[in-house]
CSV table of all heavy atoms in Angstrom, one decimal:
chain,number,residue,atom,x,y,z
K,33,ARG,N,-11.3,-20.1,15.8
K,33,ARG,CA,-10.4,-21.2,15.8
K,33,ARG,C,-11.1,-22.6,16.0
K,33,ARG,O,-10.8,-23.5,15.2
K,33,ARG,CB,-9.5,-21.1,17.0
K,33,ARG,CG,-8.3,-22.1,17.0
K,33,ARG,CD,-7.3,-21.8,18.2
K,33,ARG,NE,-6.2,-22.6,18.2
K,33,ARG,CZ,-5.0,-22.4,17.5
K,33,ARG,NH1,-5.0,-21.3,16.8
K,33,ARG,NH2,-4.0,-23.3,17.5
K,36,ILE,N,-12.6,-23.2,12.5
K,36,ILE,CA,-11.6,-23.6,11.6
K,36,ILE,C,-11.4,-25.1,11.8
K,36,ILE,O,-11.2,-25.9,10.8
K,36,ILE,CB,-10.4,-22.8,11.7
K,36,ILE,CG1,-10.6,-21.3,11.2
K,36,ILE,CG2,-9.1,-23.4,11.0
K,36,ILE,CD1,-9.5,-20.4,11.6
K,37,ARG,N,-11.3,-25.5,13.1
K,37,ARG,CA,-11.0,-26.9,13.4
K,37,ARG,C,-12.2,-27.8,12.9
K,37,ARG,O,-11.9,-28.8,12.3
K,37,ARG,CB,-10.8,-27.1,14.9
K,37,ARG,CG,-10.5,-28.5,15.2
K,37,ARG,CD,-10.0,-28.7,16.6
K,37,ARG,NE,-9.8,-30.1,16.9
K,37,ARG,CZ,-9.5,-30.5,18.1
K,37,ARG,NH1,-9.2,-29.8,19.0
K,37,ARG,NH2,-9.4,-31.8,18.3
K,38,GLU,N,-13.3,-27.4,13.1
K,38,GLU,CA,-14.5,-28.2,12.6
K,38,GLU,C,-14.6,-28.2,11.1
K,38,GLU,O,-15.0,-29.2,10.5
K,38,GLU,CB,-15.8,-27.5,13.1
K,38,GLU,CG,-17.0,-28.3,12.7
K,38,GLU,CD,-17.1,-29.7,13.3
K,38,GLU,OE1,-16.4,-30.0,14.3
K,38,GLU,OE2,-17.8,-30.5,12.7
K,39,THR,N,-14.1,-27.1,10.4
K,39,THR,CA,-14.1,-27.1,8.9
K,39,THR,C,-13.1,-28.0,8.4
K,39,THR,O,-13.4,-28.8,7.4
K,39,THR,CB,-13.8,-25.6,8.5
K,39,THR,OG1,-14.7,-24.8,9.1
K,39,THR,CG2,-13.7,-25.5,7.0
K,40,PHE,N,-11.9,-28.0,8.8
K,40,PHE,CA,-10.8,-28.8,8.2
K,40,PHE,C,-10.4,-30.0,8.9
K,40,PHE,O,-9.8,-30.9,8.3
K,40,PHE,CB,-9.6,-27.9,8.0
K,40,PHE,CG,-9.8,-26.7,7.1
K,40,PHE,CD1,-9.9,-25.4,7.7
K,40,PHE,CD2,-10.0,-26.8,5.8
K,40,PHE,CE1,-10.0,-24.3,6.9
K,40,PHE,CE2,-10.2,-25.7,5.0
K,40,PHE,CZ,-10.2,-24.4,5.6
K,41,TYR,N,-10.5,-30.1,10.2
K,41,TYR,CA,-10.0,-31.2,11.0
K,41,TYR,C,-11.0,-31.8,11.9
K,41,TYR,O,-10.6,-32.2,13.1
K,41,TYR,CB,-8.8,-30.6,11.9
K,41,TYR,CG,-7.9,-29.7,11.1
K,41,TYR,CD1,-7.8,-28.4,11.3
K,41,TYR,CD2,-7.1,-30.2,10.1
K,41,TYR,CE1,-6.9,-27.5,10.6
K,41,TYR,CE2,-6.2,-29.4,9.3
K,41,TYR,CZ,-6.2,-28.1,9.6
K,41,TYR,OH,-5.3,-27.2,8.9
K,42,ASN,N,-12.3,-31.9,11.6
K,42,ASN,CA,-13.3,-32.4,12.5
K,42,ASN,C,-13.2,-33.8,13.0
K,42,ASN,O,-13.8,-34.1,13.9
K,42,ASN,CB,-14.7,-32.2,11.9
K,42,ASN,CG,-14.9,-32.9,10.6
K,42,ASN,OD1,-14.9,-34.1,10.6
K,42,ASN,ND2,-15.2,-32.2,9.5
K,43,ASP,N,-12.4,-34.5,12.4
K,43,ASP,CA,-12.1,-36.0,12.8
K,43,ASP,C,-10.8,-36.2,13.3
K,43,ASP,O,-10.3,-37.4,13.6
K,43,ASP,CB,-12.5,-37.0,11.8
K,43,ASP,CG,-11.6,-36.9,10.5
K,43,ASP,OD1,-11.0,-35.8,10.3
K,43,ASP,OD2,-11.6,-37.9,9.8
K,44,VAL,N,-9.9,-35.1,13.5
K,44,VAL,CA,-8.6,-35.3,14.1
K,44,VAL,C,-8.8,-35.4,15.7
K,44,VAL,O,-9.1,-34.3,16.3
K,44,VAL,CB,-7.7,-34.2,13.7
K,44,VAL,CG1,-6.3,-34.3,14.4
K,44,VAL,CG2,-7.5,-34.1,12.2
K,45,THR,N,-8.7,-36.5,16.1
K,45,THR,CA,-9.0,-36.7,17.6
K,45,THR,C,-7.8,-36.3,18.5
K,45,THR,O,-8.0,-36.0,19.7
K,45,THR,CB,-9.4,-38.2,17.9
K,45,THR,OG1,-8.4,-39.1,17.5
K,45,THR,CG2,-10.7,-38.5,17.2
K,46,ASP,N,-6.6,-36.3,18.0
K,46,ASP,CA,-5.5,-36.0,18.9
K,46,ASP,C,-5.5,-34.5,18.9
K,46,ASP,O,-5.2,-33.8,17.9
K,46,ASP,CB,-4.2,-36.5,18.2
K,46,ASP,CG,-3.0,-36.1,18.9
K,46,ASP,OD1,-3.0,-36.3,20.2
K,46,ASP,OD2,-2.0,-35.5,18.3
K,47,GLU,N,-5.6,-34.0,20.1
K,47,GLU,CA,-5.8,-32.5,20.4
K,47,GLU,C,-4.5,-31.8,20.0
K,47,GLU,O,-4.5,-30.7,19.3
K,47,GLU,CB,-6.0,-32.3,21.9
K,47,GLU,CG,-6.4,-30.9,22.3
K,47,GLU,CD,-7.8,-30.5,21.8
K,47,GLU,OE1,-8.6,-31.4,21.6
K,47,GLU,OE2,-8.0,-29.3,21.6
K,48,VAL,N,-3.3,-32.3,20.2
K,48,VAL,CA,-2.0,-31.7,19.9
K,48,VAL,C,-1.9,-31.6,18.4
K,48,VAL,O,-1.6,-30.5,17.9
K,48,VAL,CB,-0.8,-32.5,20.5
K,48,VAL,CG1,0.5,-31.8,20.0
K,48,VAL,CG2,-0.9,-32.4,22.0
K,49,THR,N,-2.3,-32.6,17.7
K,49,THR,CA,-2.2,-32.6,16.2
K,49,THR,C,-3.1,-31.5,15.6
K,49,THR,O,-2.8,-30.7,14.8
K,49,THR,CB,-2.4,-34.0,15.6
K,49,THR,OG1,-1.5,-34.9,16.1
K,49,THR,CG2,-2.4,-33.9,14.1
K,50,ALA,N,-4.4,-31.6,16.1
K,50,ALA,CA,-5.4,-30.6,15.7
K,50,ALA,C,-5.0,-29.2,15.9
K,50,ALA,O,-5.1,-28.3,15.0
K,50,ALA,CB,-6.7,-30.9,16.3
K,51,GLU,N,-4.6,-28.9,17.1
K,51,GLU,CA,-4.1,-27.5,17.4
K,51,GLU,C,-2.9,-27.1,16.6
K,51,GLU,O,-2.8,-26.0,16.2
K,51,GLU,CB,-3.9,-27.4,18.9
K,51,GLU,CG,-5.2,-27.4,19.7
K,51,GLU,CD,-6.1,-26.2,19.3
K,51,GLU,OE1,-5.6,-25.0,19.2
K,51,GLU,OE2,-7.2,-26.4,19.0
K,52,ALA,N,-2.0,-28.0,16.4
K,52,ALA,CA,-0.8,-27.7,15.6
K,52,ALA,C,-1.2,-27.4,14.1
K,52,ALA,O,-0.7,-26.5,13.6
K,52,ALA,CB,0.2,-28.8,15.6
K,53,ALA,N,-2.2,-28.2,13.6
K,53,ALA,CA,-2.6,-27.9,12.3
K,53,ALA,C,-3.3,-26.6,12.2
K,53,ALA,O,-3.0,-25.8,11.2
K,53,ALA,CB,-3.6,-29.1,11.9
K,54,VAL,N,-4.1,-26.2,13.0
K,54,VAL,CA,-4.7,-24.9,13.0
K,54,VAL,C,-3.7,-23.8,13.1
K,54,VAL,O,-3.7,-22.8,12.4
K,54,VAL,CB,-5.8,-24.7,14.1
K,54,VAL,CG1,-6.3,-23.2,14.2
K,54,VAL,CG2,-7.0,-25.6,13.9
K,55,SER,N,-2.7,-24.0,14.0
K,55,SER,CA,-1.6,-23.0,14.1
K,55,SER,C,-0.8,-22.8,12.9
K,55,SER,O,-0.2,-21.8,12.7
K,55,SER,CB,-0.8,-23.4,15.3
K,55,SER,OG,-1.5,-23.3,16.5
K,56,LEU,N,-0.7,-23.8,12.0
K,56,LEU,CA,0.1,-23.7,10.9
K,56,LEU,C,-0.6,-23.1,9.7
K,56,LEU,O,0.1,-22.7,8.7
K,56,LEU,CB,0.6,-25.1,10.5
K,56,LEU,CG,1.6,-25.8,11.3
K,56,LEU,CD1,1.8,-27.2,11.0
K,56,LEU,CD2,2.9,-25.0,11.4
K,57,LEU,N,-1.9,-22.8,9.9
K,57,LEU,CA,-2.6,-22.2,8.7
K,57,LEU,C,-2.1,-20.7,8.5
K,57,LEU,O,-1.8,-20.0,9.5
K,57,LEU,CB,-4.1,-22.1,9.0
K,57,LEU,CG,-4.9,-23.3,8.9
K,57,LEU,CD1,-6.3,-23.1,9.4
K,57,LEU,CD2,-4.9,-23.9,7.5
K,85,VAL,N,-10.0,-38.8,-4.0
K,85,VAL,CA,-10.4,-39.3,-2.6
K,85,VAL,C,-11.5,-38.4,-2.2
K,85,VAL,O,-11.3,-37.2,-1.9
K,85,VAL,CB,-9.3,-39.4,-1.6
K,85,VAL,CG1,-9.7,-39.8,-0.3
K,85,VAL,CG2,-8.1,-40.3,-2.1
K,87,CYS,N,-13.8,-37.1,0.5
K,87,CYS,CA,-13.7,-37.2,2.0
K,87,CYS,C,-15.2,-36.9,2.4
K,87,CYS,O,-15.6,-35.8,2.2
K,87,CYS,CB,-12.8,-36.1,2.5
K,87,CYS,SG,-11.1,-36.5,2.0
K,89,ARG,N,-16.8,-36.5,5.1
K,89,ARG,CA,-17.1,-35.6,6.3
K,89,ARG,C,-16.4,-34.3,6.1
K,89,ARG,O,-16.2,-33.5,7.1
K,89,ARG,CB,-16.6,-36.2,7.6
K,89,ARG,CG,-17.5,-37.4,7.9
K,89,ARG,CD,-17.0,-38.3,9.1
K,89,ARG,NE,-16.8,-37.5,10.2
K,89,ARG,CZ,-16.1,-37.9,11.3
K,89,ARG,NH1,-15.7,-39.1,11.4
K,89,ARG,NH2,-16.0,-37.1,12.4
K,90,ASP,N,-16.1,-33.9,4.9
K,90,ASP,CA,-15.4,-32.6,4.5
K,90,ASP,C,-16.3,-31.4,4.7
K,90,ASP,O,-17.4,-31.5,4.0
K,90,ASP,CB,-14.8,-32.8,3.1
K,90,ASP,CG,-13.8,-31.6,2.8
K,90,ASP,OD1,-13.8,-30.6,3.4
K,90,ASP,OD2,-13.0,-31.9,1.9
K,118,MET,N,-13.6,-41.9,1.6
K,118,MET,CA,-13.1,-42.1,2.9
K,118,MET,C,-14.1,-41.4,3.8
K,118,MET,O,-14.5,-40.3,3.6
K,118,MET,CB,-11.7,-41.5,3.1
K,118,MET,CG,-10.6,-42.4,2.5
K,118,MET,SD,-9.0,-41.7,3.0
K,118,MET,CE,-8.9,-42.1,4.7
K,119,ASP,N,-14.4,-42.0,5.0
K,119,ASP,CA,-15.1,-41.4,6.1
K,119,ASP,C,-14.1,-40.5,6.9
K,119,ASP,O,-13.5,-41.0,7.8
K,119,ASP,CB,-15.7,-42.5,7.0
K,119,ASP,CG,-16.5,-41.8,8.1
K,119,ASP,OD1,-17.1,-40.7,8.0
K,119,ASP,OD2,-16.5,-42.5,9.2
K,120,SER,N,-13.9,-39.3,6.3
K,120,SER,CA,-12.9,-38.4,6.8
K,120,SER,C,-13.3,-37.0,6.6
K,120,SER,O,-14.1,-36.6,5.7
K,120,SER,CB,-11.6,-38.8,6.2
K,120,SER,OG,-10.9,-37.8,5.6
K,121,SER,N,-12.5,-36.1,7.4
K,121,SER,CA,-12.6,-34.7,7.2
K,121,SER,C,-11.8,-34.3,5.9
K,121,SER,O,-11.4,-35.1,5.2
K,121,SER,CB,-12.0,-34.0,8.4
K,121,SER,OG,-10.7,-34.2,8.5
K,122,HIS,N,-11.6,-33.0,5.8
K,122,HIS,CA,-10.8,-32.4,4.8
K,122,HIS,C,-9.3,-32.8,4.8
K,122,HIS,O,-8.6,-32.8,3.8
K,122,HIS,CB,-10.9,-30.9,4.8
K,122,HIS,CG,-10.3,-30.2,3.7
K,122,HIS,ND1,-10.9,-30.1,2.5
K,122,HIS,CD2,-9.2,-29.5,3.6
K,122,HIS,CE1,-10.1,-29.4,1.6
K,122,HIS,NE2,-9.1,-29.0,2.3
K,123,SER,N,-9.0,-33.5,6.0
K,123,SER,CA,-7.5,-33.7,6.2
K,123,SER,C,-7.3,-35.2,6.7
K,123,SER,O,-6.8,-35.4,7.8
K,123,SER,CB,-7.0,-32.7,7.4
K,123,SER,OG,-7.4,-31.4,7.0
K,124,PRO,N,-7.5,-36.1,5.8
K,124,PRO,CA,-7.3,-37.5,6.2
K,124,PRO,C,-5.8,-37.8,6.4
K,124,PRO,O,-5.5,-38.8,7.1
K,124,PRO,CB,-7.9,-38.4,5.0
K,124,PRO,CG,-7.7,-37.4,3.9
K,124,PRO,CD,-8.0,-36.0,4.4
K,125,PHE,N,-4.9,-37.0,5.9
K,125,PHE,CA,-3.5,-37.2,6.1
K,125,PHE,C,-3.2,-37.0,7.6
K,125,PHE,O,-2.1,-37.4,8.1
K,125,PHE,CB,-2.7,-36.3,5.2
K,125,PHE,CG,-3.2,-34.8,5.3
K,125,PHE,CD1,-2.8,-33.9,6.1
K,125,PHE,CD2,-4.2,-34.4,4.2
K,125,PHE,CE1,-3.2,-32.6,6.1
K,125,PHE,CE2,-4.6,-33.1,4.2
K,125,PHE,CZ,-4.2,-32.2,5.2
K,126,LEU,N,-4.1,-36.2,8.4
K,126,LEU,CA,-3.8,-36.1,9.8
K,126,LEU,C,-4.7,-37.0,10.6
K,126,LEU,O,-4.2,-37.5,11.7
K,126,LEU,CB,-4.2,-34.6,10.2
K,126,LEU,CG,-3.2,-33.5,9.7
K,126,LEU,CD1,-3.7,-32.2,10.0
K,126,LEU,CD2,-1.8,-33.8,10.1
K,127,SER,N,-5.9,-37.3,10.2
K,127,SER,CA,-6.8,-38.0,11.0
K,127,SER,C,-6.7,-39.5,10.8
K,127,SER,O,-7.0,-40.3,11.6
K,127,SER,CB,-8.3,-37.6,10.7
K,127,SER,OG,-8.7,-37.8,9.4
K,128,ARG,N,-6.4,-39.9,9.5
K,128,ARG,CA,-6.4,-41.3,9.2
K,128,ARG,C,-5.2,-41.6,8.2
K,128,ARG,O,-5.4,-42.1,7.1
K,128,ARG,CB,-7.7,-41.7,8.5
K,128,ARG,CG,-9.0,-41.5,9.4
K,128,ARG,CD,-10.2,-42.0,8.9
K,128,ARG,NE,-10.1,-43.4,8.7
K,128,ARG,CZ,-10.8,-44.0,7.9
K,128,ARG,NH1,-11.7,-43.5,7.1
K,128,ARG,NH2,-10.7,-45.4,7.7
K,129,PRO,N,-4.0,-41.3,8.7
K,129,PRO,CA,-2.8,-41.5,7.7
K,129,PRO,C,-2.6,-42.9,7.2
K,129,PRO,O,-2.3,-43.1,6.0
K,129,PRO,CB,-1.6,-41.0,8.5
K,129,PRO,CG,-2.1,-41.0,9.9
K,129,PRO,CD,-3.6,-40.9,9.9
K,130,ALA,N,-2.8,-43.9,8.0
K,130,ALA,CA,-2.6,-45.3,7.5
K,130,ALA,C,-3.7,-45.6,6.5
K,130,ALA,O,-3.5,-46.3,5.5
K,130,ALA,CB,-2.6,-46.2,8.7
K,131,ALA,N,-5.0,-45.3,6.8
K,131,ALA,CA,-6.1,-45.5,5.9
K,131,ALA,C,-5.8,-44.8,4.5
K,131,ALA,O,-6.1,-45.3,3.4
K,131,ALA,CB,-7.4,-45.2,6.4
K,132,LEU,N,-5.4,-43.6,4.6
K,132,LEU,CA,-5.1,-42.8,3.4
K,132,LEU,C,-4.0,-43.5,2.6
K,132,LEU,O,-4.1,-43.6,1.4
K,132,LEU,CB,-4.7,-41.4,3.7
K,132,LEU,CG,-4.4,-40.5,2.5
K,132,LEU,CD1,-5.6,-40.4,1.5
K,132,LEU,CD2,-4.0,-39.1,2.9
K,133,ALA,N,-3.0,-43.9,3.3
K,133,ALA,CA,-1.9,-44.7,2.5
K,133,ALA,C,-2.5,-45.9,1.8
K,133,ALA,O,-2.1,-46.3,0.7
K,133,ALA,CB,-0.8,-45.1,3.6
K,134,ASP,N,-3.4,-46.6,2.5
K,134,ASP,CA,-4.0,-47.7,1.9
K,134,ASP,C,-4.9,-47.3,0.7
K,134,ASP,O,-4.8,-48.0,-0.4
K,134,ASP,CB,-5.0,-48.5,2.9
K,134,ASP,CG,-4.3,-49.2,4.0
K,134,ASP,OD1,-3.0,-49.5,3.8
K,134,ASP,OD2,-4.9,-49.5,5.0
K,136,ILE,N,-4.2,-44.8,-1.3
K,136,ILE,CA,-3.3,-44.5,-2.3
K,136,ILE,C,-2.9,-45.8,-3.0
K,136,ILE,O,-2.8,-45.9,-4.3
K,136,ILE,CB,-2.1,-43.7,-1.8
K,136,ILE,CG1,-2.6,-42.3,-1.4
K,136,ILE,CG2,-1.0,-43.5,-2.9
K,136,ILE,CD1,-1.6,-41.5,-0.6
Side-chain angles (χ1 to χ4, degrees):
R33 190 175 185 88
I36 291 166
R37 182 167 175 184
E38 183 63 22
T39 301
F40 299 108
Y41 316 110
N42 61 60
D43 63 340
V44 177
T45 57
D46 177 51
E47 191 72 26
V48 173
T49 299
E51 285 301 309
V54 172
S55 296
L56 290 173
L57 287 176
V85 177
C87 297
R89 293 172 52 192
D90 193 335
M118 285 188 73
D119 179 30
S120 123
S121 68
H122 189 74
S123 307
F125 47 89
L126 293 177
S127 63
R128 301 188 60 206
L132 181 59
D134 290 343
I136 292 167

